[in-house]
Amino acid sequence: MSQSTPPEPPKIVFPCDYPIKIIGDAAPDYKDFVCRVILKHAPDFDGNAIVKDSRNGKYMSVNVTIRATGEDQLKALFEDFKASGRVSMVL
C-alpha cells in the first residue's frame, strides 16, 4: 500500500472579504466591544454587524465581514479577541 499525504487546505488569496463570527458572554456593550477591536485591525470596517442571542440568552454572537489584507492582520485580530477575556470563540 502506498501512503498518500493529505491534501493541503486551500490558501486564502488576500485581500478578500472575510466573514468572522465572534461569540462571547451576552452584555449590552458586546457588539460595541467587538466593533472596536475590529476597527483596530481593519480601519475600513463599515460597522455592519449581525447580533444574535443564544437560546437561553447567556451568549451573544456578532457576525461581521472585514476586508482582510493578510494572515498577520487576522492573527493579530484573533489574538486581541483571545486576550480580552470576553470572547469564548472566534469562527
Side-chain angles (χ1 to χ4, degrees):
M1 268 195 214
S2 66
Q3 291 181 331
S4 62
T5 57
E8 288 189 30
K11 295 281 185 184
I12 298 172
V13 178
F14 295 101
C16 66
D17 290 338
Y18 191 85
I20 306 171
K21 178 185 272 192
I22 305 97
I23 303 168
D25 292 333
D29 70 333
Y30 190 69
K31 176 187 172 194
D32 292 335
F33 155 74
V34 167
C35 289
R36 280 193 309 273
V37 174
I38 295 281
L39 281 167
K40 179 178 169 186
H41 298 280
D44 60 346
F45 173 60
D46 63 6
N48 190 17
I50 299 170
V51 179
K52 293 183 183 177
D53 293 318
S54 65
R55 188 177 314 141
N56 64 6
K58 182 176 179 180
Y59 297 101
M60 184 177 284
S61 70
V62 179
N63 294 292
V64 300
T65 299
I66 66 166
R67 188 71 179 159
T69 58
E71 289 183 25
D72 291 340
Q73 175 200 34
L74 294 176
K75 183 177 178 182
L77 177 63
F78 282 60
E79 289 298 320
D80 270 5
F81 280 132
K82 182 178 174 182
S84 74
R86 295 190 68 181
V87 174
S88 302
M89 189 180 311
V90 180
L91 304 170

